[in-house]
Amino acid sequence: MLTTLNTAYSDTSAADLAWTLGREPLPALATLDLELAGATLQLRLLGASHQVLLQEEHGSCSETVACIPGSSTPLPLGVAKRVGDWEYEFAARVEHLTDSQFGARAQELLALVADHPNGLAGVFPGSPHAFTAMLAQYHEGQVQWRTWHAYPQDGQLVATRSRVGVRAPVAVAL
């Protein structure tokens, strides 16, 4: 699903993004509700990037990557944590692109996400290349999602990858 977000572009650069787990739902400009193998997933586009809410029989998980005033947790390159009965992994990278590369990559990503049944993308007014996009799937017992946050003024594209799966019990040798 592709939508135009009815708000001003509020993120100023990739360096302004922060990452948090467990944050309460924030006001969303667009949402997509999904059922993936028994898990309820809500993809949320915020005025300041994205939030994912996951609910399953093993509990719930909330991931927020956004420009949040007062946040002290910068965007990490990688995280691996136990969240209840789940193993949670997060990775992020920043791509630096020329103007022509940026335009081509933006079109490619927006087309991929807009046509995908588990995809949500929002374009900010003022620039066709200022967007946040999200894509979710269930694969090999894990709920996974990818996001892209575009900063055309700086030629930066932030890509994140997250996955949550139930922790496998450890066998104990007797």
Side-chain angles (χ1 to χ4, degrees):
M1 178 171 90
L2 179 63
T3 186
T4 298
L5 300 173
N6 189 17
T7 188
Y9 188 54
S10 61
D11 288 351
T12 56
S13 73
D16 292 332
L17 285 176
W19 166 87
T20 58
L21 278 179
R23 185 175 283 272
E24 291 296 316
L26 296 170
L29 299 172
T31 62
L32 180 62
D33 294 315
L34 302 170
E35 281 287 328
L36 300 174
T40 301
L41 191 68
Q42 185 177 66
L43 305 180
R44 302 167 59 81
L45 296 178
L46 312 176
S49 295
H50 90 258
Q51 187 173 51
V52 176
L53 306 177
L54 173 65
Q55 183 72 43
E56 195 183 46
E57 67 178 282
H58 299 282
S60 62
C61 179
S62 164
E63 173 191 277
T64 306
V65 173
C67 176
I68 300 171
S71 179
S72 60
T73 307
L75 190 64
L77 295 178
V79 173
K81 294 184 84 149
R82 184 169 183 184
V83 178
D85 290 338
W86 292 335
E87 292 293 332
Y88 167 87
E89 292 181 18
F90 172 85
R93 74 177 193 287
V94 178
E95 296 178 38
H96 299 275
L97 306 167
T98 65
D99 286 344
S100 63
Q101 290 172 325
F102 199 96
R105 184 83 168 118
Q107 288 178 343
E108 171 191 12
L109 289 170
L110 288 172
L112 170 73
V113 174
D115 294 337
H116 197 286
N118 296 345
L120 176 63
V123 177
F124 290 89
S127 171
H129 301 141
F131 68 91
T132 300
M134 308 171 74
L135 188 60
Q137 69 176 358
Y138 182 85
H139 182 69
E140 296 182 357
Q142 297 181 331
V143 177
Q144 304 174 7
W145 58 91
R146 296 189 62 187
T147 73
W148 298 271
H149 304 261
Y151 301 94
Q153 73 279 11
D154 297 329
Q156 295 179 324
L157 182 68
V158 178
T160 74
R161 176 187 46 82
S162 303
R163 60 182 169 189
V164 176
V166 175
R167 184 176 181 181
V170 176
V172 178
L174 299 177

